[in-house]
């Protein structure tokens, strides 16, 4: 329990509006990282808050293959009545393994009036390096305004990506790692903007090149993988290297058409996030959330998209380098670098 990490947790909670006397619920499971649970408790104590800790057993694995980085924890499934009773709390801090970001239980909390702050299952050093930064708010607000008003997004790269996305009406999300007064949900690490395209909105070709990241597998791509997308569906995965072979076999194991569909797309804004971090930690010590937020990266994800009426536990996040991202034909990312604000 390092004092410098407690400082980071306390500062993050303060930025999220936690003050003296506030009643805050901590939600964990038996396989949660003990250091994150302890730092959360210590950070709340330093803020003067009153913490209530609810710990449940981690559930049995029910999917046909290993599942990671979904943001749809099943740990609190069946505890809806308990969660609804937390309405007296000003905040629920989520330190479950997979997180409640996309789970049904998140909505139970929100309907009871409880805001949700998710801490990704990372080594505390990663969280400290990617501390929430209020200075990113103008950058986030600009990106959110652009994307929410846009009709189209296009993505190209020298590796061969040529993707066309209809964004009109697509729900837009973003954050910098803490809860503002108007926010009901936030997570740490953060610093990105994305949208959930509506049905029949995504077509084109996506090429994962060496150095891009498969976050579900927690590895860098070594050999090119070409994904052909028609009406939101990945209809073909081409490539002869291990990356393509493993992707094809993992998708096939689900036997679920929704596994192949587009979940969300967006770009990273956080200069504190690092491309190299995935290689510096053991897999049990990193969830890779910061790689979704690297400034100038493009994020392409497949899996559940509730706004297009598609649900599945199969989820992939692919942070990509050296892309051009245009919103209504205006560049927001140029060859993997954020375009200057205008």
């Amino acid at each position: 329990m390092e004092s410098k990490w407690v400082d980071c947790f306390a500062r993050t909670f303060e930025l999220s509006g936690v003050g003296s006397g506030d009643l805050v619920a901590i939600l964990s499971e038996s396989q949660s990282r003990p250091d994150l649970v302890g730092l959360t408790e210590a950070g709340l104590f330093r803020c003067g808050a009153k913490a209530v800790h609810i710990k449940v057993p981690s559930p049995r694995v029910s999917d046909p293959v290993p599942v990671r980085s979904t943001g749809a924890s099943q740990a609190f499934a069946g505890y809806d009545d308990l969660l609804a009773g937390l309405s007296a709390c000003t905040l629920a801090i989520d330190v479950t393994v997979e997180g409640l970001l996309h789970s049904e239980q998140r909505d139970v909390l929100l309907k009871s009036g409880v805001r949700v702050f998710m801490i990704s299952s990372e080594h505390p050093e990663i969280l400290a390096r990617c501390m929430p930064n209020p200075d990113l708010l103008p950058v986030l607000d600009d990106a959110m305004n652009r994307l929410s008003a846009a009709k189209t997004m296009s993505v190209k790269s020298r590796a061969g990506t040529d993707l066309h996305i209809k964004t009109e009406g697509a729900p837009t999300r973003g954050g910098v790692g803490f809860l503002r007064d108007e926010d009901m949900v936030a997570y740490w690490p953060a610093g990105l903007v994305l949208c959930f395209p509506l049905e029949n909105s995504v077509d084109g070709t996506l090429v994962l090149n060496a150095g891009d990241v498969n976050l579900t597998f927690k590895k860098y791509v070594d050999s090119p993988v070409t994904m052909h997308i028609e009406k939101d569906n990945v209809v073909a995965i081409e490539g002869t290297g291990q990356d393509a072979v493993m992707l094809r076999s993992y998708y096939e194991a689900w036997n679920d058409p929704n596994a192949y569909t587009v979940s969300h797309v967006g770009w990273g804004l956080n200069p504190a996030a690092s491309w190299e971090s995935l290689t510096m930690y053991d897999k049990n010590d990193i969830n890779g959330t910061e790689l979704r937020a690297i400034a100038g990266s493009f994020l392409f994800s497949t899996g559940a998209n509730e706004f297009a009426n598609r649900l599945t536990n199969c989820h992939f996040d692919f942070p990509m380098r050296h892309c051009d991202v245009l919103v209504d034909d205006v560049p927001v990312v140029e060859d993997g670098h954020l375009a200057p604000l205008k």
Side-chain angles (χ1 to χ4, degrees), residues 295-306:
S297 63
F298 170 63
L299 179 65
F300 178 80
S301 303
T302 62
N305 180 344
E306 60 184 296

Side-chain angles (χ1 to χ4, degrees), residues 28 33 35 38 87 108 132 164 188 197 216 224 237 263 265 277 285 296 299 305:
S28 75
R33 289 182 62 106
D35 50 5
S87 57
V108 173
H164 303 275
W188 176 27
T216 300
I237 301 174
S263 176
V265 294
S277 63
D285 271 342
L299 179 65
N305 180 344

